[in-house]
Amino acid sequence: MKRFALRGAALAAVLTALSTATLRAQSPSPPAADDQPTASQPGRVFIAALQDEQPGSAARNSTQNNSTQPSSEDDVPPADLPELDIPTLPETTVTARPFPAEPLSDSAVVSESRTPTARSTSGSSITVLTQSDFQNRGSRTLSDALRMVPGLDVRQAGGPGQQTSIFTRGTNGSHTKVLLDGIPLNDPSNPTRAFNPANFMLDNVERIEVLRGSQGAVYGSDAIGGVINIVTKRGNGAPSLTTTAEGGSFGTYRQNTSISGGDERHWYSFAGDWYQTNGFSAVAGGTEPDGYKNGTLSGRAGMFVTDNLDVDVVWRYQKSDVDLDGFLVDSAGNLDNEDYYIRLQAHLTQLDGRLEHTAGYNVARYNRNDATGFQSFFDGTTRQFDYKSTLTLFEEDSFSHWIVAGFDHKREMLFQDVSNPFITFPGAAAQTLNGTFIENRLLLWDRLAVNAAYRYSDFSRTGNADTYRVSGRYSHAETGTAIHGAVGTGFRTPALAEVASGFGFNPNLRPESSSSWEVGIEQRLFDDRIFLDVTYFNIDFDNLINYVFNPTTFNFDATNIDRANSRGVELTGELQLDNNTILSGSYTYNEPRDLISGIDLLRRPRHKFNLSLGRYFRDRQAYASLNWRYVGARQDLIGFVNGRVNSYSVLDASAWYQLSDNIRLFTRIANLTDANYQDVYGYNTAQLSAYGGVTVTWGGQ
């Protein structure tokens, strides 16, 4: 903890020195409020931010897009000002209203640096899914949406609500960090702190960003394979009320109602969603259908308190009930889940927008109740305070430089049923995770972008970790070519069930660690009508936790024993056949191998294809798409030994029709060819099924 405090103090000192230098670089006497900035005053930085556009602002904006003109004698500061040794800075214009104070641009991402940045300057592999993607493909849950992402494998043991795992670039299910607007969603009551996406509905979600590769330097623990960042909708424009009703196969019914709106100083978006289905038997060969119910309330609201201070609150409550089967056995089990997430955030700008402070506090709480299980309840809570500061040193056409630094303090708590006499471990446990990080971002000539980050993390139970990440991108706009790459490290601190309160827990465990690198090339042709990207990646894992038989205690104890490697290629592409038709797809080749046993890691296929064909009709008043995915053969547990599960392919279809300005009809068909396949060995998937509904909107734009 002492080393953590010292490093935090060092980061604060660096930011203070940099901000002081920035102040010294400006004129000792600021211009009057009604003065117009000129490009020729040496040593001055002018900011256009946090104010309504005034007469003359167009001139300021045009100045930003042109080279600096030579200064004239009239631009020299008055002679009675004190003489200072002031370095000359180029003119800089800073936009000081990042998301959510302003709507998020389609050309920006918030994942790589935890702050909005241009996608064209990112050297990392990022996939962005938007509301239009969800609607066009008929996605209803987070699991549905992620299945089409290159490098990701989603495995669900049965139908809606059943246990689901996410494997990013061949890593374990616990190696993907999932966030909701900065709230860590990885469940501290889960045996490995993995996140189960089965209960997360997509209503009131604005976008999902999937960042692949080890991201420990920016995000800390769990980001070994990558990060999934879910962004709650930010209301904008005139108030609107939307309601949706949908029904279909397996006795499925869904209803959603939302209201949203916003202006320059306020924004809000609230939604309620209900989903239920009779389902089908989760276990193969079962005869009893396993139903599922889910109710979700979510919202976001924010406002400007002053011209340079805004506050934002995000919350989500979801309660679900799912029928369970046993391990390859039909049974009448049931699991109740109740999850609650909330985040309060304040954002302050200083130095006319050059220095930004963001502070937030969030809570994530999980309650699971299984009346027929060996343990009847599991409760997990994560509380986190985080602070981030962004300093813009330069921002101009030829050179831009930002410093991002911050710290976070997180506490995880686990409470579980230990009333069974065979349970000998404690029912409650907690641990604290602290981290400080600093990031340096450079952009040269709008061609070369370099991002370097470092983090020091300290854990109350398992020591500490140092991680880094460097990414870069070189763009050649004249040919539409870009080369990108990244190298970095990651870690996962042991979950509470592994280190303090679970079967075979070991208090001497060390964090799992990873090192990864990737390199790729992107090509755009024919005015961006063709887009291609190919990326090679490699990830090495060390200190992986597995359970080893202890002949002294006759228990299986958690031990840092395994090593693994995952390497492969991701190929993505998009072809605009005409103004209304787009063909897009991806292919992932992955070799995830256990270096101790020499066999492939379970449930990760070597080959995966996704292909989507979408077309607009009737002047874009209607849309239809076909979505095909192929998943290759893979290793899985067949009984208690490893075996091979066959490959499969699935074809889905979806469509919508805008009947009027405020009424939209939609339909989707899952498993159009009625393929018989298994995602996880021994568990069923949906047969041919159809759904349809209507969305009605009042108000809005």
Side-chain angles (χ1 to χ4, degrees):
M1 185 65 184
K2 182 178 179 181
R3 295 179 64 188
F4 168 76
L6 290 174
R7 296 188 186 213
L11 284 179
V14 169
L15 281 176
T16 302
L18 288 172
S19 59
T20 302
T22 304
L23 283 171
R24 288 173 56 86
Q26 301 182 52
S27 169
S29 179
D34 58 348
D35 287 347
Q36 297 300 322
T38 61
S40 55
Q41 292 174 299
R44 294 192 179 187
V45 179
F46 295 102
I47 315 298
L50 292 178
Q51 52 189 324
D52 295 333
E53 188 168 334
Q54 301 294 332
S57 62
R60 291 195 293 271
N61 293 334
S62 64
T63 302
Q64 178 187 2
N65 299 323
N66 293 279
S67 59
T68 305
Q69 301 297 321
S71 61
S72 64
E73 294 181 358
D74 295 335
D75 296 323
V76 177
D80 57 345
L81 291 177
E83 294 184 2
L84 296 175
D85 184 14
I86 301 175
T88 300
L89 293 180
E91 180 194 8
T92 300
T93 301
V94 177
T95 301
R97 281 186 173 184
F99 181 83
E102 291 287 350
L104 195 58
S105 167
D106 291 338
S107 61
V109 292
V110 296
S111 299
E112 187 177 38
S113 299
R114 299 207 301 194
T115 189
T117 56
R119 294 181 66 178
S120 60
T121 64
S122 173
S124 301
S125 297
I126 303 177
T127 298
V128 179
L129 304 173
T130 64
Q131 282 184 308
S132 62
D133 295 319
F134 309 150
Q135 295 170 1
N136 291 343
R137 295 174 181 172
S139 302
R140 296 293 177 264
T141 66
L142 180 61
S143 302
D144 295 337
L146 295 178
R147 292 184 189 275
M148 300 295 284
V149 176
L152 260 65
D153 292 298
V154 179
R155 297 286 166 263
Q156 190 160 11
Q162 301 296 328
Q163 179 63 41
T164 307
S165 300
I166 303 171
F167 304 104
T168 304
R169 286 184 169 175
T171 60
N172 290 339
S174 57
H175 290 165
T176 300
K177 186 157 194 169
V178 183
L179 301 134
L180 172 67
D181 299 291
I183 307 171
L185 300 188
N186 295 62
D187 183 1
S189 66
N190 183 279
T192 61
R193 204 191 297 105
F195 171 71
N196 179 9
N199 298 317
F200 201 102
M201 312 302 289
L202 290 179
D203 296 288
N204 211 28
V205 172
E206 182 165 311
R207 64 159 63 184
I208 302 169
E209 297 181 5
V210 181
L211 178 63
R212 298 184 291 281
S214 297
Q215 309 291 333
V218 176
Y219 287 99
S221 180
D222 305 327
I224 283 180
V227 173
I228 297 173
N229 185 36
I230 306 165
V231 180
T232 301
K233 181 180 178 182
R234 179 208 186 274
N236 189 42
S240 66
L241 174 67
T242 300
T243 186
T244 296
E246 179 184 15
S249 301
F250 306 114
T252 299
Y253 174 73
R254 183 179 73 93
Q255 184 171 356
N256 169 266
T257 300
S258 63
I259 183 171
S260 64
D263 53 33
E264 292 183 355
R265 301 191 67 86
H266 310 83
W267 56 91
Y268 59 90
S269 177
F270 311 124
D273 182 85
W274 174 258
Y275 176 93
Q276 67 180 42
T277 180
N278 295 332
F280 48 87
S281 175
V283 69
T287 59
E288 178 192 25
D290 294 312
Y292 177 64
K293 298 177 182 179
N294 183 300
T296 300
L297 297 173
S298 61
R300 161 171 248 144
M303 63 176 293
F304 274 92
V305 180
T306 65
D307 284 345
N308 65 335
L309 174 63
D310 62 88
V311 294
D312 183 65
V313 57
V314 176
W315 71 92
R316 187 179 186 92
Y317 172 82
Q318 53 194 39
K319 183 174 176 61
S320 63
D321 179 283
V322 60
D323 296 333
L324 300 177
D325 283 335
F327 179 63
L328 303 181
V329 177
D330 198 11
S331 64
N334 182 270
L335 179 66
D336 290 331
N337 293 277
E338 188 174 22
D339 309 328
Y340 178 67
Y341 319 120
I342 187 169
R343 176 175 173 85
L344 303 173
Q345 176 178 291
H347 173 258
L348 174 69
T349 61
Q350 293 180 309
L351 306 180
D352 293 325
R354 296 179 65 83
L355 182 60
E356 301 178 31
H357 308 273
T358 304
Y361 177 76
N362 46 253
V363 177
R365 180 169 294 167
Y366 295 87
N367 299 298
R368 289 181 287 144
N369 294 281
D370 183 0
T372 62
F374 187 75
Q375 293 177 267
S376 62
F377 71 87
F378 298 88
D379 296 340
T381 301
T382 299
R383 302 179 186 274
Q384 176 177 283
F385 173 80
D386 56 81
Y387 166 80
K388 173 175 65 71
S389 181
T390 303
L391 176 63
T392 302
L393 295 175
F394 301 91
E395 192 172 20
E396 56 165 331
D397 291 340
S398 61
F399 178 61
S400 299
H401 187 193
W402 302 269
I403 298 290
V404 182
F407 65 88
D408 44 64
H409 170 82
K410 181 168 68 174
R411 183 164 179 80
E412 296 179 340
M413 291 167 282
L414 165 64
F415 304 93
Q416 58 187 319
D417 176 26
V418 292
S419 59
N420 192 296
F422 292 99
I423 296 177
T424 59
F425 50 81
Q431 65 179 341
T432 301
L433 299 85
N434 298 306
T436 58
F437 68 92
I438 186 166
E439 184 178 14
N440 194 34
R441 294 168 45 210
L442 297 171
L443 178 62
L444 304 175
W445 311 291
D446 281 333
R447 290 185 183 270
L448 178 62
V450 179
N451 188 8
Y454 166 79
R455 167 184 283 262
Y456 172 77
S457 301
D458 179 79
F459 320 118
S460 61
R461 290 184 179 271
T462 55
N464 55 69
D466 293 271
T467 49
Y468 70 89
R469 182 170 177 83
V470 178
S471 63
R473 178 187 178 94
Y474 178 79
S475 302
H476 193 263
E478 292 78 1
T479 60
T481 307
I483 300 173
H484 56 87
V487 58
T489 56
F491 66 93
R492 183 184 77 89
T493 186
L496 286 168
E498 296 169 319
V499 76
S501 180
F503 291 101
F505 78 89
N506 179 0
N508 298 315
L509 288 175
R510 301 184 305 277
E512 297 179 332
S513 61
S514 71
S515 61
S516 73
W517 63 273
E518 64 181 79
V519 62
I521 184 169
E522 172 188 305
Q523 182 65 57
R524 297 178 181 271
L525 300 168
F526 305 111
D527 296 326
D528 291 347
R529 298 179 72 89
I530 296 178
F531 167 81
L532 292 170
D533 183 277
V534 58
T535 299
Y536 176 86
F537 64 87
N538 185 90
I539 308 177
D540 290 307
F541 317 92
D542 200 7
N543 289 329
L544 295 180
I545 298 172
N546 207 340
Y547 287 82
V548 178
F549 180 71
N550 187 333
T552 302
T553 62
F554 293 96
N555 289 328
F556 285 87
D557 296 338
T559 308
N560 295 103
I561 192 173
D562 283 351
R563 295 183 297 113
N565 172 266
S566 179
R567 57 186 177 183
V569 176
E570 295 167 352
L571 175 64
T572 58
E574 184 175 286
L575 171 61
Q576 186 173 346
L577 298 174
D578 57 42
N579 290 335
N580 294 310
T581 309
I582 294 180
L583 176 66
S584 61
S586 66
Y587 166 70
T588 303
Y589 175 76
N590 188 201
E591 290 184 17
R593 186 173 293 274
D594 186 324
L595 297 180
I596 303 299
S597 65
I599 65 173
D600 285 355
L601 299 177
L602 298 181
R603 298 178 181 172
R604 286 82 140 177
R606 288 207 170 190
H607 303 278
K608 175 186 172 184
F609 290 92
N610 292 311
L611 197 63
S612 178
L613 176 64
R615 179 172 176 81
Y616 289 95
F617 300 91
R618 298 178 60 87
D619 294 328
R620 301 210 164 202
Q621 294 298 302
Y623 180 87
S625 71
L626 290 172
N627 303 287
W628 175 79
R629 55 190 168 93
Y630 169 87
V631 176
R634 57 219 175 273
Q635 294 287 318
D636 206 337
L637 281 176
I638 299 180
F640 294 95
V641 297
N642 289 356
R644 185 178 176 87
V645 179
N646 293 332
S647 62
Y648 68 85
S649 63
V650 178
L651 179 64
D652 301 326
S654 62
W656 54 260
Y657 176 66
Q658 196 70 36
L659 187 63
S660 66
D661 288 343
N662 62 332
I663 299 177
R664 173 178 288 193
L665 307 177
F666 60 88
T667 185
R668 60 189 175 96
I669 302 175
N671 197 358
L672 194 61
T673 60
D674 199 21
N676 184 15
Y677 69 98
Q678 294 182 356
D679 231 7
V680 175
Y681 177 79
Y683 292 91
N684 284 323
T685 53
Q687 299 175 333
L688 172 66
S689 50
Y691 311 86
V694 59
T695 296
V696 182
T697 302
W698 295 270
Q701 298 175 345

